[in-house]
Amino acid sequence: MTKPRHDQPKESLVKSYKIALIPGDGIGRDVTDAAWQVLKKAADAGGFLLEGTEFPWSCEYYKETGEMMPADGIEILSGYDAILLGAVGWPVDVPDSVSLHGLLLPIRKRFAQYANIRPHRLLPGVQGPLRSDGFDILCIRENTEGEYSGAGGRIHSGTANEVATETAIFTRTGVERILRFGFEQARTRKKKLASVTKSNAQKHSMVFWDEVTQEVAKDYDDVEVSHYHVDAIAARMVIAPESLDVVVASNLFGDILTDLGAAIQGGLGYAASANINPDHSVPSMFEPVHGSAPDIAHLGTANPIAAIWSGAMMLEHLGEEQAARTVMQGIETATGQGVGTIPGKDRTETITQAVLSAVG
Ligand code: IPM
Ligand code: MN
């Protein structure tokens, strides 16, 4: 590798990241715009560039073209450093089973974004519904297989003999890598990992998951492992959330537990997520946990905090840790001042401005 020459123009030394922006449907547009403004400001302050390219892929796009993204959509996205997504779904026009399987889910699977990371903690000034305010849970959801594998089918449709199957598929590679990822995260935190199954009822896949947990745990004897059934940990997240730290779960269990996580942190407007492939050769994707919220779309009242927080996770993944911290401090300053702390009270614009003025 050649060394940078000191007589090169300064611009060529400035780091630049290519970001694919997919606002998607409903409030996805509002919250992506908000997050992008904040991220651009944090980049300016941090001395690097974010180059955004917007893609109109959405249910609107489906109505015009008959597909959620073009046939070479994945190939197009592979040229980007990261993807910032708003929300996908507009069920009055396009069934969710079509829109999600045409855009969000293939991106997760094709780029093997196998770790869906979802932090659940209360921001300053936000009052959750629980008695406890001292929790900090990092949910790591398997994101490419399990109950979302898409294996199954329907026969004898529309008859009394109709059969529908949906087979959950768990591979050793898939289960081992998500657990390993969880253990690595646990090492950077409180060294506690909760592995979630339902092995008392599901005797094949979930017993397998328990076994793999035990095998992988041998490489992490500094991490304390607990095994929970999904129903029991759901109750624990309400009654004693402070007793949990890293929680690793399958695709569907993780999906459900992270809406619960969102609820205890004050609502879906605060729940961020990162779909990560830790091997940086393909883009990872960052999106709020919430959906397109048709009931409040275009009202200008969506809470952009989950999307902005997801953007901070993107900066961290890109290696811009300082800028990621700046964005998080911006969010915390805004909520600490009481802006965006009560669902539905402040407008998207008001919350965005409060975060922006606290950033840089
Ligand atoms: C999520 C969403 C998606 C999921 C839906 C929209 C397919 O609920 O990101 O949590 O189940 O993964
Ligand atoms: Mn969900």
Side-chain angles (χ1 to χ4, degrees):
M1 208 177 90
T2 54
K3 285 189 185 163
R5 285 172 42 190
H6 293 289
D7 57 354
Q8 273 177 334
K10 197 163 173 268
E11 286 75 26
S12 67
L13 298 176
V14 173
K15 269 201 191 150
S16 176
Y17 303 96
K18 288 177 68 186
I19 310 299
L21 300 168
I22 309 178
D25 298 299
I27 63 166
R29 149 71 52 200
D30 315 28
V31 300
T32 309
D33 284 352
W36 189 240
Q37 288 180 55
V38 174
L39 295 176
K40 290 285 274 186
K41 187 155 184 200
D44 281 351
F48 61 93
L49 292 172
L50 290 178
E51 244 186 281
T53 308
E54 192 174 306
F55 295 93
W57 305 340
S58 58
C59 292
E60 249 339 283
Y61 183 88
Y62 181 90
K63 275 167 47 188
E64 284 159 25
T65 66
E67 46 194 8
M68 290 297 294
M69 66 173 156
D72 60 350
I74 295 291
E75 207 180 311
I76 294 171
L77 292 175
S78 66
Y80 288 83
D81 295 306
I83 304 161
L84 188 66
L85 183 134
V88 181
W90 200 258
V92 287
D93 285 340
V94 184
D96 283 343
S97 57
V98 171
S99 58
L100 277 320
H101 284 275
L103 187 56
L104 180 72
L105 299 174
I107 296 175
R108 289 179 180 167
K109 287 181 186 172
R110 291 285 299 280
F111 290 127
Q113 295 166 349
Y114 65 82
N116 191 329
I117 310 176
R118 298 183 161 183
H120 302 296
R121 61 185 165 82
L122 284 167
L123 291 168
V126 177
Q127 182 131 40
L130 304 185
R131 276 171 299 182
S132 167
D133 58 6
F135 59 89
D136 182 355
I137 298 173
L138 190 68
C139 197
I140 315 274
R141 162 186 176 188
E142 201 293 318
N143 212 29
T144 55
E145 57 172 41
E147 309 86 344
Y148 280 46
S149 296
R154 289 171 69 166
I155 54 170
H156 308 310
S157 295
T159 73
N161 296 328
E162 184 156 8
V163 177
T165 63
E166 186 93 34
T167 306
I169 301 210
F170 290 87
T171 64
R172 184 171 286 279
T173 304
V175 176
E176 192 176 325
R177 71 185 176 183
I178 195 65
L179 283 160
R180 240 173 235 292
F181 188 90
F183 276 104
E184 292 294 334
Q185 293 293 315
R187 269 197 171 152
T188 68
R189 296 169 52 101
K190 293 197 195 125
K191 298 191 165 56
K192 278 170 59 173
L193 180 142
S195 173
V196 181
T197 64
K198 185 64 189 171
S199 50
N200 53 352
Q202 296 185 300
K203 64 182 184 176
H204 306 297
S205 57
M206 294 286 106
V207 170
F208 172 61
W209 180 296
D210 278 348
E211 284 169 16
V212 176
T213 306
Q214 269 152 7
E215 284 167 30
V216 175
K218 289 185 193 138
D219 293 339
Y220 297 89
D221 55 9
D222 51 329
V223 176
E224 182 197 325
V225 185
S226 331
H227 296 262
Y228 289 96
H229 295 311
V230 63
D231 45 354
I233 203 167
R236 178 167 286 264
M237 281 177 70
V238 172
I239 293 164
E242 66 287 345
S243 66
L244 297 166
D245 189 50
V246 170
V247 171
V248 185
S250 67
N251 213 333
L252 180 62
F253 290 173
D255 177 47
I256 297 165
L257 291 178
T258 54
D259 259 40
L260 178 52
I264 65 172
Q265 74 189 125
L268 280 154
Y270 305 103
S273 93
N275 302 271
I276 300 283
N277 181 331
D279 161 3
H280 283 250
S281 65
V282 288
S284 288
M285 176 168 63
F286 302 83
E287 49 155 347
V289 174
H290 65 68
S292 61
D295 53 331
I296 58 158
H298 316 307
L299 296 182
T301 55
N303 188 342
I305 289 178
I308 301 171
W309 188 340
S310 306
M313 295 173 86
M314 181 181 88
L315 295 180
E316 196 183 336
H317 180 74
L318 292 172
E320 299 293 345
E321 284 92 354
Q322 181 51 48
R325 274 194 293 277
T326 304
V327 172
M328 284 315 296
Q329 279 158 11
I331 293 173
E332 286 167 7
T333 302
T335 61
Q337 290 163 348
V339 181
T341 51
I342 298 171
K345 185 177 139 277
D346 295 310
R347 298 190 60 78
T348 312
E349 183 58 24
T350 310
I351 302 170
T352 309
Q353 287 307 327
V355 178
L356 275 171
S357 59
V359 167

